[in-house]
Amino acid sequence: MTSIKVIEQCLIAPPPGSLPSTTLPLTFFDIPWFYCHPVQRIFFYHFPYPTHHFLQTALPILKHSLSLSLQHFFPFSSNLIVPSNPHLHVPYIRYLPNDSLSFTVAESTADFNLLISDSPQDVRNWHPLVPTLPSHLTEEDGTRVFPLMAIQITVLPNSGFSICLTFNHLAGDGKSLHHFIKYWASVSKATRSGDLSLTPLEGSLSLPFHDRNRVKDPKGLKLVYTRELLDSESEKMEFAGIVQDVYTNKVRATLVLSRERVEKLKKWTTLQCALGIQHVSTFVVTCSLIWVSMIKSEQSNVNCVDEHQLCYLVFLADCRGRPELSIPSTYFGNCLATCIVAIKRGELVGENGIVEVANGIQREVRDWKKDALRRADTLMSDYRELAKPGQCVVVVAGSPKLGVYETDFGWGKPKKSEAVHLDSSGSISLSDCRDKEGGIEVGLALERIRMTTFLNIVEEQLNNIVARE
């Protein structure tokens, strides 16, 4: 039986006097995430030394570099402010001097090699390594104050350590999160080497852009979304794909697709697609294979299914750099458009399921490129529809473009990185591949029996495609 011991609980803030009091308004990109469950991202690193060595050598560097990084990524040490009467005052993000984030250091007796395994494992294995956001505070006038991030570092003696971040999606999207993590990692690595001149301040690791005035809202979407949230029914809304936290007999696994397999899948899909497309992306073929296999694995474990039921694939597109929006690539916050593919269950499990999905995703991407905000007017009602009980929804989180395995704090690249919250949501995650350049990793959590079926179906689909070449 594994155990966990909390060694230290403290608060980490930007350096004293480094920041003035600051407020950031929420934009129409932020509001839809208001009722999203906290996002949890974990990284595992090799560290073959005892706990006391970690506490004496690595921990001070990680703490100091985190403080320096929060000076630039201050929203993560800030709070979400929800006024007592949101009808009159819209929620916003507020930073006050000495604001900080919760930081926990723990020690675990868990098996490091099991935790970083790609093979199916009980979803509860990672839960002790995940920090919980502190409860909100209520000020005298009824204003509620919600912390936006918590971090936990867990030492697994003589094996490694994990860094897990839990944060409120209102603070920013995946690109903002990984911008922050990579910046923190770069400062940590430079500090460990003793050469702060190594801290990269160029390209993707330049300083974040916080000016929310660059997000133009000609359609008045922020007001529309805010009114929707204040509606009595909307207040119960959760983000599409979120389900109750039921972990009984649930396992998580990481499916690794090599570049060779991805290229064969792309070649086959391109030949089959009806749209005359010259190039099918890794994202398209991966999502097509995984979604079809998930639906087939569900059908094999359910006696009665409605083949006419619409199933939904939801994925997100980064709007930074879009010419009609003029939002810079370093913008910090949420800047995502929602894309939705709807296909009948019978078509998904049919002979041409993968091709049907690939065509559907390609059409959605094509339409998004024509108009990034084309779904914006109906977004909140779309989310409410998708969140209804009984809906068949898969949400795609993450992206290989985020480069999670490039996050080196000074002890090498991660042995594993994953989105922990997959086990309580209807999501799958995509990321770059640690050991196979050009490959892709897919993370997901399913009931144990269904996971076995799913993995067998994926292998069968890939073997069939190779055999048809």
Side-chain angles (χ1 to χ4, degrees), residues 1 29 41 65 67 82 100 130 151 188 197 219 227 249 359 365 401:
M1 189 71 179
F29 281 119
R41 165 63 66 171
S65 56
S67 175
V82 181
S100 55
V130 179
I151 296 176
S188 172
S197 66
K219 295 184 177 181
R227 284 175 176 168
N249 207 31
N359 281 325
V365 171
K401 294 180 180 179

Side-chain angles (χ1 to χ4, degrees), residues 26 29-37 80-83 86 90-92 144 146 168-170 225-226 229-230 234-235 237-239 334 380 383:
L26 299 181
F29 281 119
D30 301 315
I31 300 294
W33 298 101
F34 205 91
Y35 290 109
C36 176
H37 285 198
L80 172 68
I81 306 302
V82 181
V90 178
Y92 60 96
R144 289 175 292 165
F146 293 85
N168 187 320
H169 210 308
L170 277 170
Y225 292 172
T226 304
L229 287 173
L230 295 175
S234 296
E235 288 180 3
M237 185 191 74
E238 296 176 342
F239 180 62
N334 288 292
M380 300 296 272
Y383 278 4

Side-chain angles (χ1 to χ4, degrees), residues 13 69 83 113 140 173 222 312 335 362 377 387 392 417 469:
S69 301
N113 290 325
E140 289 184 4
D173 54 23
K222 179 178 177 178
Y312 299 92
C335 195
Q362 293 274 23
D377 292 338
C392 178
S417 180
E469 281 196 317

Side-chain angles (χ1 to χ4, degrees), residues 8-32:
E8 179 185 2
Q9 284 186 309
C10 63
L11 300 172
I12 303 290
S18 62
L19 285 170
S21 298
T22 305
T23 61
L24 291 175
L26 299 181
T27 74
F28 71 87
F29 281 119
D30 301 315
I31 300 294

Side-chain angles (χ1 to χ4, degrees), residues 61 64-66 68-69 183-201:
I61 292 173
H64 178 65
S65 56
L66 173 59
L68 294 177
S69 301
Y183 190 93
W184 175 20
S186 70
V187 177
S188 172
K189 186 175 183 179
T191 303
R192 184 168 188 254
S193 71
D195 185 3
L196 285 174
S197 66
L198 293 176
T199 303
L201 286 172

Side-chain angles (χ1 to χ4, degrees), residues 21-286:
S21 298
T22 305
T23 61
L24 291 175
L26 299 181
T27 74
F28 71 87
F29 281 119
D30 301 315
I31 300 294
W33 298 101
F34 205 91
Y35 290 109
C36 176
H37 285 198
V39 177
Q40 301 155 336
R41 165 63 66 171
I42 196 166
F43 296 82
F44 291 93
Y45 293 92
H46 183 59
F47 192 86
Y49 306 104
T51 300
H52 68 82
H53 183 67
F54 178 87
L55 299 178
Q56 293 170 3
T57 61
L59 184 60
I61 292 173
L62 290 167
K63 283 183 170 181
H64 178 65
S65 56
L66 173 59
S67 175
L68 294 177
S69 301
L70 288 173
Q71 177 180 350
H72 303 294
F73 295 85
F74 65 88
F76 285 138
S77 59
S78 303
N79 292 285
L80 172 68
I81 306 302
V82 181
S84 57
N85 189 345
H87 289 272
L88 298 177
H89 304 285
V90 178
Y92 60 96
I93 292 172
R94 180 187 71 190
Y95 174 80
L96 298 177
N98 300 320
D99 274 354
S100 55
L101 59 76
S102 171
F103 187 88
T104 302
V105 182
E107 181 186 60
S108 171
T109 60
D111 182 341
F112 183 76
N113 290 325
L114 171 63
L115 294 176
I116 65 172
S117 170
D118 292 335
S119 301
Q121 60 175 297
D122 194 315
V123 296
R124 292 170 293 188
N125 289 353
W126 289 1
H127 291 180
L129 316 179
V130 179
T132 301
L133 284 173
S135 300
H136 73 271
L137 302 175
T138 303
E139 298 179 343
E140 289 184 4
D141 63 356
T143 298
R144 289 175 292 165
V145 181
F146 293 85
L148 291 172
M149 177 172 278
I151 296 176
Q152 178 173 322
I153 294 181
T154 305
V155 185
L156 297 107
N158 304 308
S159 300
F161 66 93
S162 65
I163 299 177
C164 189
L165 306 94
T166 297
F167 79 103
N168 187 320
H169 210 308
L170 277 170
D173 54 23
K175 187 167 185 178
S176 294
L177 175 71
H178 288 282
H179 188 179
F180 159 66
I181 296 172
K182 284 191 175 67
Y183 190 93
W184 175 20
S186 70
V187 177
S188 172
K189 186 175 183 179
T191 303
R192 184 168 188 254
S193 71
D195 185 3
L196 285 174
S197 66
L198 293 176
T199 303
L201 286 172
E202 300 178 356
S204 62
L205 290 181
S206 56
L207 295 177
F209 182 85
H210 291 292
D211 185 2
R212 300 289 175 95
N213 291 323
R214 287 292 290 272
V215 180
K216 305 303 180 185
D217 186 13
K219 295 184 177 181
L221 294 171
K222 179 178 177 178
L223 181 59
V224 172
Y225 292 172
T226 304
R227 284 175 176 168
E228 293 251 18
L229 287 173
L230 295 175
D231 178 79
S232 58
E233 292 185 4
S234 296
E235 288 180 3
K236 302 173 185 176
M237 185 191 74
E238 296 176 342
F239 180 62
I242 294 297
V243 296
Q244 294 298 313
D245 295 351
V246 179
Y247 303 113
T248 306
N249 207 31
K250 211 170 187 183
V251 295
R252 65 164 57 249
T254 303
L255 179 68
V256 181
L257 296 176
S258 65
R259 170 185 275 182
E260 180 185 17
R261 282 192 144 184
V262 169
E263 289 303 319
K264 287 182 177 179
L265 186 56
K266 287 163 71 171
K267 180 180 177 182
W268 178 83
T269 307
T270 301
L271 292 173
Q272 302 296 318
C273 277
L275 298 179
I277 298 165
Q278 299 300 312
H279 172 72
V280 178
S281 70
T282 298
F283 174 84
V284 169
V285 296
T286 302

